[in-house]
Amino acid sequence: MRPTWRLDATETARRIREGKLDPAAHLRETLRRITRLDQQLNAVVARIDEDDVGQRLEQVDWDAPFAGVPFLVKETTPYPNLRLTYGSRWLQDHIAVDKDPLIQAFEKIGFVVVGVSNAPEFGLTDVTEPLLLGATRNPWNLARSPGGSSGGAAAAVAAGLVPFAHGTDGGGSLRAPASHCGVFALKPSRGRPFATPSLPGAEWLPDLVSRFGLTRSVRDAQGILAALSKMSGYEMPPKVGQRHDNHYRIAATGIPLHAGDIDPAVARVYDAAVAHCRDLGHSVTTLEWPFDAHAMHTAFFGAWAGFAKAYIEFISQRLQRPIERLKLEPWTVGLLDIADALTGKERIRISSILHDAQIAHNDLFGDFDLLLTPVYAKPPPQIGEHHTSLPFHTVYKRVTRAVAFTPIQNVAGAPAVSVPFAVSDADLPIGVQFAAAPGQDEMLLQFASAVQASRPWPKFAPGATN
């Protein structure tokens, strides 16, 4: 019998339901495993006490589909009595009082919070190396980053600390860490599983951020989304369904949004994915982006700076704490400077560019079912390569060159998945991305499940053995 830490969330819940796994013992072993393995990873920055396990389990609905399964909350999301610093020295002493509605929903379908995963300051970059909490390391190679901003979550799932970890995605923050760590991520359609309110002062922006999590299996993502959708009363659009002929029309592009180069290792994985889809009997048509990709990419990072400013101001007002810029990291300050320099005319221009890209991206799905691209322009960065304390323009160039495929789905409100696909010659995982039209999350997951069945991937980093 496999060790319990190797089980996905679906199998863990089944064993608990059938009385084959004691939930209290399993939660305590999860906490001990975190304590034992996380000394090297730094993926979990707060955890519950073993003495609290009984009280946690008293609150579980044992008829829920994932009753008793442990999971982590991202450190940018409130959960009562656990740290909520947003990875920032400005808020280093803050403890959450409220509970985020999405986390509350995860608990209602049975999950049990065991801790908080590491994240960069305010979740604003593509690595997880906050000055306050320290760098999270990739369990595949400790010299590499697991990515960001949901890097602690991805590292924890890849190392077998938990089978599911909550995360957020404003431009690839679930999908890139999934690719770097060899796990699966769904960025849901805008408004799923629950709508995210627009930030005051950022009404000119689309709702960029999606919230869901990282899993070891596609079936976990399918089950979690189904349970949350049932709870929220979500009804799929009339034309959304599953393809019973198992034949998908796939558009594909390996051209980064900035029109520059991508790492040869990433290009090889993308080419292999195109060939694999054809071998499975799907039609694959390679094409260029159907909009001004360079303009969209540049506009996105202007919008990202605007989002950062609105988000930090919202946190300041909510917590009744004046912003202390001297305690913010250079990367964050640089984004605020960009946002402060945006004129009303420039905001209108950015909004127009993003709006046009959204329409063109989603119009693709009149002729195609799916869009296939790489996830990230290079393998996982070295620790320190994108560090937020480096000169802003150095980091900005590196981040914008690497985050080269994923932002368009945030702009378009479209669902996308990061599917583990290959291990490079340097023994680093590299995933591929599939996207679909808004509302087509279930069809996208159905396809990803078929890919997983046809090309099983390692569920854990090689070091996750004890």
Side-chain angles (χ1 to χ4, degrees), residues 190 290 357-366 408-409 411-415 436-438:
R190 183 172 292 141
Q358 172 182 340
I359 292 173
H361 175 275
N362 293 343
D363 280 352
L364 263 179
F365 302 106
I408 181 58
Q409 284 76 38
V411 170

Side-chain angles (χ1 to χ4, degrees), residues 36 116 197 229 308 322 412:
R36 188 166 64 249
V116 173
S229 298

Side-chain angles (χ1 to χ4, degrees), residues 387-443:
H387 200 279
T388 54
S389 65
L390 293 172
F392 176 78
H393 291 290
T394 299
V395 183
Y396 187 84
K397 182 178 180 180
R398 292 174 181 176
V399 171
T400 55
R401 299 297 286 183
V403 181
F405 296 94
T406 50
I408 181 58
Q409 284 76 38
N410 297 86
V411 170
V417 292
S418 179
V419 179
F421 198 80
V423 176
S424 73
D425 293 341
D427 292 326
L428 294 167
I430 297 175
V432 292
Q433 175 176 250
F434 293 95
Q440 293 273 21
D441 305 58
E442 281 76 12
M443 187 190 72

Side-chain angles (χ1 to χ4, degrees), residues 250-414:
I250 303 173
T253 183
I255 304 170
L257 292 166
H258 54 61
D261 297 326
I262 60 174
D263 188 278
V266 173
R268 285 193 293 271
V269 172
Y270 164 74
D271 290 341
V274 168
H276 184 68
C277 288
R278 286 175 173 152
D279 289 343
L280 291 176
H282 308 303
S283 60
V284 182
T285 303
T286 57
L287 44 70
E288 296 184 356
W289 294 104
F291 50 84
D292 187 336
H294 186 268
M296 176 269 151
H297 191 249
T298 303
F300 171 81
F301 282 96
W304 191 243
F307 167 81
K309 177 179 172 64
Y311 185 40
I312 292 169
E313 288 177 347
F314 172 76
I315 292 169
S316 173
Q317 293 167 8
R318 189 168 182 269
L319 300 184
Q320 307 258 304
R321 291 196 186 195
I323 297 170
E324 298 180 61
R325 284 175 69 105
L326 291 177
K327 292 185 178 179
L328 301 181
E329 297 177 3
W331 170 256
T332 302
V333 173
L335 291 176
L336 294 181
D337 288 343
I338 291 176
D340 288 340
L342 290 176
T343 64
K345 185 177 180 179
E346 287 171 327
R347 292 183 179 192
I348 291 172
R349 183 184 61 82
I350 288 172
S351 180
S352 177
I353 291 170
L354 298 183
H355 176 72
D356 290 348
Q358 172 182 340
I359 292 173
H361 175 275
N362 293 343
D363 280 352
L364 263 179
F365 302 106
D367 297 320
F368 299 98
D369 302 305
L370 301 168
L371 172 65
L372 164 62
T373 73
V375 178
Y376 194 80
K378 62 183 183 181
Q382 295 277 352
I383 292 289
E385 186 180 344
H386 290 198
H387 200 279
T388 54
S389 65
L390 293 172
F392 176 78
H393 291 290
T394 299
V395 183
Y396 187 84
K397 182 178 180 180
R398 292 174 181 176
V399 171
T400 55
R401 299 297 286 183
V403 181
F405 296 94
T406 50
I408 181 58
Q409 284 76 38
N410 297 86
V411 170

